[in-house]
């Protein structure tokens, strides 16, 4: 089973690329941000617990996110593969993820990072915010906060998978199609 982590700062294009990869390789796509936004919309206890942190650009708790992922892994053991988009985002999440996969006789296949400079991701998120209506896309301060959180808590997750020989970083500044091509080449060369 292919377990692909799409990695990179907010606004680097993970969601867009995940949708294209899902169709091409017949994979499932799990976006933890999307799951959480759906929970908030539904008014569930889980959503209520996550809403404040998400809207300010902070991370929600590792326990909450890992609980969602653990259930997802157990429910989808017969899939061809899964694209993880927005997870793992901290070292404790990565350690827990490795354990949960192992308990289901699986492991991370590849982590592919989209490298996009800060100025460009900020611009992309501002543009997206006009259409998406996402609360966390609306102010430059919150966007900057998310980038700071990425640098302080998330970027190190790349080292965790680099140590396992699974980390590949690609230029994410080309067109959607060019970036997609780079990702496909990386997947095809390593699976
Ligand atoms: P982006 O990558 O543009 O920040 P996401 O939809 O992936 O958008 O995430 C939006 C928000 O959801 C994050 O800022 C965070 O609050 C929360 N979130 C998503 N994934 C995780 C995670 N793995 N751990 C903690 N919080 C998360």
């Amino acid at each position: 089973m292919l377990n692909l982590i799409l990695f990179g700062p907010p606004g680097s294009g993970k969601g867009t690329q995940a949708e294209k990869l899902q169709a091409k390789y017949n994979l499932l796509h799990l976006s933890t941000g999307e799951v959480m936004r759906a929970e908030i919309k539904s008014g569930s206890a889980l959503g209520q617990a996550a809403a404040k942190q998400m809207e300010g650009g902070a991370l929600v708790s590792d326990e909450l996110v890992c609980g969602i992922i653990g259930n997802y892994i157990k429910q989808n053991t017969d899939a061809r593969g899964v694209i993880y988009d927005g997870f793992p985002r901290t070292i404790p999440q990565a350690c827990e993820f490795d354990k949960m996969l192992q308990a289901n006789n699986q492991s991370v296949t590849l982590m592919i990072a989209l490298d996009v400079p800060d100025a460009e991701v900020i611009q992309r998120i501002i543009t997206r915010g006009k259409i998406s209506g996402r609360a966390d896309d609306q102010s430059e301060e919150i966007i900057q906060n998310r980038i700071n959180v990425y640098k302080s808590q998330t970027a190190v997750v790349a080292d965790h998978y680099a140590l396992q020989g699974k980390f590949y970083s690609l230029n994410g500044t080309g067109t959607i199609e060019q970036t997609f091509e780079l990702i496909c080449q990386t997947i095809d060369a390593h699976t």
Side-chain angles (χ1 to χ4, degrees):
M1 190 167 155
L2 178 73
N3 287 304
L4 171 67
I5 302 171
L6 265 190
F7 195 69
S12 55
K14 302 183 294 286
T16 304
Q17 297 297 334
E19 276 179 29
K20 291 171 71 67
L21 292 167
Q22 172 180 31
K24 172 164 175 168
Y25 292 97
N26 190 19
L27 305 170
L28 302 177
H29 170 204
L30 178 64
S31 157
T32 43
E34 287 295 331
V35 170
M36 238 88 76
R37 279 186 287 279
E39 291 287 342
I40 292 175
K41 223 172 168 184
S42 78
S44 69
L46 197 153
Q48 283 172 10
K52 244 211 187 100
Q53 286 105 308
M54 275 186 73
E55 280 160 19
L59 297 181
V60 308
S61 80
D62 291 335
E63 288 74 16
L64 199 154
V65 185
C66 288
I68 292 171
I69 298 286
N71 288 333
Y72 191 85
I73 293 172
K74 277 186 236 150
Q75 284 162 11
N76 292 288
T77 48
D78 53 359
R80 246 194 117 238
V82 181
I83 305 164
Y84 291 91
D85 160 11
F87 178 89
R89 239 167 160 107
T90 64
I91 290 290
Q93 287 180 21
C95 295
E96 189 59 28
F97 188 36
D98 291 347
K99 274 193 222 154
M100 292 188 293
L101 286 174
Q102 203 174 21
N104 288 276
N105 297 313
Q106 296 178 44
S107 59
V108 169
T109 314
L110 283 178
M111 173 188 257
I112 297 181
L114 302 178
D115 190 14
V116 181
D118 288 4
E120 177 148 354
V121 299
I122 292 171
Q123 206 42 58
R124 286 185 188 179
I125 296 173
I126 290 170
T127 305
R128 175 175 79 186
K130 293 181 184 146
I131 310 157
S132 73
R134 271 175 56 173
D136 60 348
D137 284 352
Q138 303 304 319
S139 99
E140 220 165 307
E141 192 186 330
I142 296 175
I143 297 168
Q144 190 58 56
N145 204 12
R146 285 157 61 199
I147 293 172
N148 294 344
V149 167
Y150 176 80
K151 288 184 177 165
S152 62
Q153 298 184 58
T154 305
V156 285
V157 177
D159 301 339
H160 177 91
Y161 289 103
L163 276 174
Q164 297 182 16
K166 296 174 176 173
F167 177 71
Y168 297 87
S169 179
L170 308 178
N171 175 6
T173 61
T175 64
I176 290 175
E177 283 309 323
Q178 284 167 340
T179 304
F180 183 59
E181 191 52 40
L182 289 177
I183 298 174
C184 293
Q185 282 169 6
T186 307
I187 294 175
D188 295 342
H190 299 283
T191 53

